Structures are given as C-alpha cells and as structure tokens.
Amino acid sequence: MVDVLRSGWLTTGPKVHAFEDTFAKYIGAPHAIAVNSCTAALHLALDAIGLSEGDEVVVPTMTFAATAEVVRYFKARPVLVDCEPDTLNIDPTGIERAITPRTRAIIPVHYAGHPCAMDRILALSRHYGLRVIEDAAHALPARYHGQMVGTLGDLACFSFYATKTICTGEGGMVIAASGEYADRIRMMSLHGISKDAWKRYSAEGSWYYEILNPGFKYNMTDIAAALGLVQLGKCEQLREARYRIAQIYDDGFREVPEILTPAVCANVESAWHLYPIRLAVDRLKIGRAEFIAMMRERNIGTSVHFIPLHLHPYYRSTYHYRAEDFPNASAAYERLVSLPIYPAMTAEDAHDVISAVRDIISSNYL
Ligand SMILES: *Cc1c(COP(=O)(O)O)cnc(C)c1O
C-alpha cells in the first residue's frame, strides 16, 4: 500500500490488474474483474445476463440484503426460496417449484462458506435454460467435489468487505466464464467507457475514449488491490486457521444436545466464514436474545446470520410473504447464533467460548 501511495497511481491501475490475474489463476477461472463491493459485482453480473423489468430471479431467503436488492435495481422480481434444513443453503426442490416462464437466473449463496448443492442447481439451470450467478461472498476459498467455488456457475461474485474471509476494506470480484460477459462487466464497471483510466492516461494509451452505455462507477482502487494481493497470498492459511477453530467447536459441542453444529456435506470443503449454531430453545428457559446477552456479559460477541429476507418489512409487504411459506428458514432463524470464528483466534479462545456456551445452557435447562 505504501508503494501504491508513493507511486502516485491511486485508483485503478497495475495493482488492480495484478490482483485480477492472481485471483483468476488461484480459483482457476478465465476472467476476473475487480470492483468496489460484492453488491456491485452482483449488479454487474445481472446486467451482463441482460436482466430486464418483469423478469424473475430465484434467490434464497437465508441471505444478506445484497443478494435480492440487486434484482430490484432492474425492476425485476427476486423470488425467495426456503433453505435446506441441514446446511441452510437454498433448497434445489424449492428452486424448481419457484421457476416460471419469467425466470432468468438463480443466485445460490454458499451460506457460511459451505457450497450449495451445485450438481442439482446446475442440472436445473440446464433443463430450464437459466443462468447461475454464485453469490460467493462467504466462500473464498471453498471447494465442491474438488473444484473451487466461483468457477461452477456462469458468473460468480466475491466480497472483500471488512468482515469477510479476505478483505480490502471494501471490495469485490466478478468471475465470468465467458469473455463476452467479462467484456460487458469491465465496460459497465467504469461509466460504460470503452477503455479504462489506466489505458487512457498511461504513456502507451491515448486521450480518446467512447461511451458505449450509461455505466456505473464500480472500479476498485490500486490501494485496495495492494491489500487484496497480500490477503490472497494468505487465503489458504487463513482458511486453515478458521477450520481449526471449527473443529474445536465441533468437538466441544458433540456431547451437548442443546446445540446443533453446522452440517458439512461429503465432498465439500467449506471456507468456514461463519460458525452458525442452532440453540434448542424448546429445551431452555431462555430464548436466543437472552443467550446472546449472556454471551455479551461474558465479553463474547456473537451475531445472527441471517434474519431471513421474507421476515423483513420490505419483502413482507411487497410480496406478501408469510413465515409459514419458508418453514425451514423461519424455524432456523429463531435458533441461529453465529459464534466467533476468525484466524487470530487461539484454541484457548475457542475453549473459552465453549465453556461459556455450556455454562449458560446448563444453568438454563427447562
Ligand atoms: C456481505 C455479503 C454481500 C455483499 O458484500 P459487499 O462486498 O458488502 O457488497 C453479498 N452477499 C452476501 C451473502 C453477503 O454476506
């Protein structure tokens, strides 16, 4: 970053291009375009497939705001689908039921870093002629049957937000399987202009440019890309550290029937971005909110991923969703708590969390 600041080239330039090339090679994808958020990446991906007003996109309810809001940018409809009861990933059976003649795409979210049932999702997309855009905001690095997540669909979007598995402050990456998508995304990410600033102002370039479309201002800076290159180099090591914490948690909660630990399918490798447990609130005197407050009193921060979209006022009132329409996500939501998981966490920290959880549970049996 200091080199970038001294170079005088602060915005999109050589570091961004190096970050894109390194990222594409790392996950084994033909095209990577760095942008300033995963939300921007999702917006550009939907633009690239030509989403239009009145179209429908199948989206999980168990996700963050970004996955569905980008569909609304096009006056298209996000059609929410319930999750699988074990992984909390989008349920392929629910996807098939949600498909109509207006459906254009599916956006599977690899929840908590655990890959979705991509074999079934890709089979559906082929059968119904739909595009698949992976929301891989949690899933760097994750593998599905040995293949890197982000290379499974037509397009994929990663996040380098402060809380994600690698971070550039704010940032994102779009992965495209085809050169046609990649060219469109590159052009639309910077004002719909035919050449980027680096080519325009560098010695070899020229002053001439053409506006081909009313595009967006979604380019990544070289300052962020310098951070990203260093972070990417540590990506496997950071995952390994999170995986070790997940194993300590799995062992520590094995004998605790009030805690349901995250499910892991065969032939996948999760990125372990989150460690969401489910509390058996029906066996306890306390609810989830009290549990979180008691953890807080012990100086342990937790969160909830996520409040399903169908329970939020906008989606409830716009599309008249009811909790009963999404039985798995609605039931999971009442019980979900994400425990701390991050690379700098020590084994001792993880054992402290386990003790706190066990202590709170054993003093609050019904
Ligand atoms: C964080 C997140 C995003 C958005 O990422 P930004 O880089 O903050 O725009 C999208 N989808 C999911 C599932 C996320 O968790």
Side-chain angles (χ1 to χ4, degrees):
M1 285 181 73
V2 172
D3 287 348
V4 168
L5 294 173
R6 293 222 165 99
S7 81
W9 196 279
L10 303 186
T11 187
T12 313
K15 288 284 181 196
V16 167
H17 297 295
F19 185 37
E20 290 174 341
D21 290 348
T22 313
F23 195 97
K25 278 199 195 76
Y26 171 57
I27 73 160
H31 309 280
I33 302 100
V35 290
N36 57 16
S37 74
C38 180
T39 308
L42 289 162
H43 186 186
L44 291 167
L46 289 175
D47 168 80
I49 68 162
L51 194 72
S52 311
E53 183 168 352
D55 287 344
E56 293 178 0
V57 178
V58 176
V59 167
T61 188
M62 189 57 90
T63 188
F64 183 60
T67 318
E69 80 195 14
V70 291
V71 177
R72 296 299 298 134
Y73 294 177
F74 297 84
K75 295 189 165 67
R77 178 179 176 160
V79 178
L80 302 184
V81 165
D82 202 4
C83 56
E84 298 174 326
D86 51 357
T87 62
L88 305 186
N89 273 329
I90 191 166
D91 175 23
T93 309
I95 295 176
E96 187 157 27
R97 272 202 301 270
I99 292 169
T100 75
R102 289 180 297 277
T103 310
R104 297 289 317 283
I106 307 166
I107 310 183
V109 175
H110 307 293
Y111 172 80
H114 186 295
C116 291
M118 293 305 288
D119 279 351
R120 290 181 65 195
I121 293 171
L122 293 170
L124 285 172
S125 76
R126 279 189 295 270
H127 187 261
Y128 292 97
L130 309 175
R131 304 278 74 76
V132 173
I133 300 168
E134 296 176 75
D135 180 336
H138 299 182
L140 184 73
R143 290 171 178 86
Y144 180 77
H145 298 234
Q147 194 181 336
M148 287 294 273
V149 159
T151 62
L152 302 159
D154 299 286
L155 294 142
C157 302
F158 289 92
S159 175
F160 313 128
Y161 180 68
T163 60
K164 300 291 161 71
T165 60
I166 74 165
C167 121
T168 62
E170 298 277 2
M173 191 75 78
V174 201
I175 300 303
S178 86
E180 205 176 311
Y181 286 153
D183 290 345
R184 170 82 187 181
I185 289 165
R186 215 172 269 293
M187 185 254 298
M188 292 303 279
S189 71
L190 196 62
H191 305 299
I193 282 176
S194 65
K195 292 175 173 184
D196 62 28
W198 184 53
K199 285 179 193 151
R200 268 189 281 143
Y201 296 119
S202 65
E204 316 84 81
S206 79
W207 51 268
Y208 186 76
Y209 64 91
E210 288 176 335
I211 300 164
L212 305 179
N213 275 288
F216 310 105
K217 170 68 182 174
Y218 284 163
N219 56 306
M220 180 178 271
T221 66
D222 263 25
I223 302 170
L227 256 177
L229 277 164
V230 176
Q231 289 267 296
L232 190 60
K234 297 194 280 194
C235 190
E236 293 289 334
Q237 180 196 325
L238 297 174
R239 182 213 172 255
E240 194 59 35
R242 288 188 306 271
Y243 174 57
R244 272 200 294 277
I245 301 300
Q247 281 180 309
I248 295 172
Y249 282 155
D250 283 352
D251 289 342
F253 298 127
R254 191 156 289 133
E255 316 279 288
V256 186
E258 291 78 19
I259 300 288
L260 184 61
T261 56
V264 182
C265 296
N267 294 318
V268 310
E269 227 176 83
S270 173
W272 290 109
H273 166 52
L274 302 171
Y275 191 90
I277 59 164
R278 275 175 277 172
L279 276 182
V281 282
D282 43 322
R283 295 169 179 239
L284 300 173
K285 282 189 297 206
I286 52 168
R288 187 254 317 269
E290 286 155 295
F291 175 86
I292 288 174
M294 288 173 172
M295 291 290 279
R296 182 77 261 169
E297 280 166 24
R298 287 163 173 78
N299 209 24
I300 298 170
T302 58
S303 192
V304 175
H305 300 91
F306 293 96
I307 304 168
L309 295 179
H310 70 268
L311 297 177
H312 285 281
Y314 174 76
Y315 291 99
R316 245 182 20 221
S317 63
T318 309
Y319 301 110
H320 311 291
Y321 287 129
R322 297 166 311 161
E324 314 85 85
D325 301 331
F326 306 89
N328 296 335
S330 299
Y333 167 61
E334 303 290 328
R335 297 155 168 252
L336 272 176
V337 181
S338 297
L339 296 182
I341 186 165
Y342 55 93
M345 209 175 161
T346 64
E348 198 189 338
D349 291 334
H351 286 294
D352 285 348
V353 174
I354 293 166
S355 305
V357 170
R358 294 180 75 136
D359 186 44
I360 293 169
I361 284 174
S362 60
S363 44
N364 288 287
Y365 290 128
L366 253 190

